[in-house]
Amino acid sequence: MSELNTSPEAPRSAPEAPRQGPGPDVPARPKGEPRFPDGPQADPAGSHFERRIRSFQPRRSRVTTGQADALQRLWSRWGLDIDGQRVVDLGEMFGNGNPVVLEIGFGMGEATAQMAAADPDTNVLGVDVHTPGQGNLLNLADHHGLSNVRVANGDAIILLREMLAPDSLSGLRVYFPDPWPKKRHHKRRLIQPEFLDLAATRLRPGAVVHCATDWEPYAEQMLDVLDAHPDFENTRAEGGFSPRPAFRPVTRFEGQGLDKGHVVNDLLFRRVQHREPQEQRPL
């Protein structure tokens, strides 16, 4: 695996911080001017789609000068705003016909960049709403010459439902999603039967869904939902959780949790052969 000099991973499920001013090297912008004129849009889908319960919360935090520079320079080439207005040609996006893995929620992009460097023949499309993380991943990809990384900004559900073709993905990664620990918030968790209904339509047979979490109640729910879904089968013959595969690096956030005694569970489930289409549950 290539050695990458990465920055600390973004905190997960953190309360929204007060809006901070620009860094010392970033001039203040006039009121109403876009934060990054050539970068990701603040709300790419706008009001084009229905309002629904979301599994994510946008976080405001300071964007460093390096991250801002990467967003300005590279977004037009390697970025995608999820506006839901077109179906994306992934071969054209990456410039080749290599398999594409979708990663939902990449934080600061450390693990994403490391896995992309270790497997240059697999394209990685990472989606997140955290602007510093988007800039950091673009910066890492540029610095290490990772031509197999693209960054999407916005709602992963709209990306899957409106902008990706059937059978276009060879894998799906969901690492350390927000666990929404309070019972009244469990409906916000991403890994639900209706999400898997949608994901199954975009994953080709044999594609692997790889989830990881350090929140044990959520891990148990993930396992129950994946076990019960007819479009997926556990890659572990005896069932249950899988050992962490060598290709998934331990992030700094995860390492801190392990030092505190947290238990991290990985789940790897394979998309089975297509069956007769059934009515999809609404998201």
Side-chain angles (χ1 to χ4, degrees), residues 10 28 75 83 91 130 163 190 246 261:
W75 190 259
D83 59 11
H130 188 232
M163 300 182 70
L190 180 64

Side-chain angles (χ1 to χ4, degrees), residues 101-232:
V101 171
L102 177 67
E103 182 174 352
I104 298 178
F106 53 78
M108 294 303 288
E110 296 178 305
T112 307
Q114 290 183 48
M115 289 187 288
D119 187 8
D121 292 328
T122 295
N123 295 325
V124 180
L125 175 58
V127 55
D128 210 303
V129 294
H130 188 232
T131 309
Q134 294 167 352
N136 202 59
L137 179 53
L138 287 172
N139 202 23
L140 289 170
D142 184 40
H143 182 72
H144 296 283
L146 305 179
S147 60
N148 59 330
V149 173
R150 299 292 184 270
V151 178
N153 167 52
D155 190 336
I157 298 298
I158 294 176
L159 175 66
L160 281 164
R161 192 182 63 198
E162 308 292 342
M163 300 182 70
L164 296 180
D167 294 354
S168 57
L169 297 175
S170 295
L172 174 64
R173 297 169 181 163
V174 184
Y175 298 155
F176 303 96
D178 195 321
W180 295 102
K182 294 180 180 179
K183 187 173 182 179
R184 69 176 183 272
H185 291 155
H186 286 185
K187 59 190 175 184
R188 293 182 177 272
R189 290 176 172 175
L190 180 64
I191 305 303
Q192 307 275 6
E194 55 271 21
F195 171 76
L196 294 178
D197 289 345
L198 173 60
T201 67
R202 302 305 185 247
L203 291 164
R204 61 189 56 170
V208 172
V209 173
H210 184 188
C211 303
T213 181
D214 63 339
W215 192 263
E216 291 186 79
Y218 193 12
E220 294 289 348
Q221 178 190 323
M222 288 180 179
L223 183 60
D224 290 343
V225 171
L226 281 159
D227 270 336
H229 202 286
D231 288 332
F232 298 96

Side-chain angles (χ1 to χ4, degrees), residues 5-6 32 40-41 49 88 214 218 220-221 233 237 258:
N5 180 20
T6 56
Q41 298 178 34
F49 298 96
V88 176
D214 63 339
Y218 193 12
E220 294 289 348
Q221 178 190 323
E233 63 181 7
L258 291 171

Side-chain angles (χ1 to χ4, degrees), residues 8-85:
E9 186 165 325
R12 186 192 52 198
S13 192
E16 188 171 89
R19 186 185 298 274
Q20 299 185 24
D25 300 325
V26 181
R29 57 191 168 92
K31 185 177 180 180
E33 182 179 308
R35 192 177 188 189
F36 302 103
D38 298 317
Q41 298 178 34
D43 185 13
S47 59
H48 299 303
F49 298 96
E50 76 286 353
R51 296 183 63 84
R52 56 179 169 75
I53 296 171
R54 291 182 171 181
S55 63
F56 63 90
Q57 283 185 317
R59 299 189 304 274
R60 295 190 186 99
S61 56
R62 181 186 169 200
V63 177
T64 67
T65 302
Q67 293 162 0
D69 176 68
L71 289 167
Q72 289 287 93
R73 288 188 301 107
L74 302 171
W75 190 259
S76 61
R77 288 191 287 141
W78 291 349
L80 172 69
D81 278 310
I82 302 173
D83 59 11
Q85 300 301 300

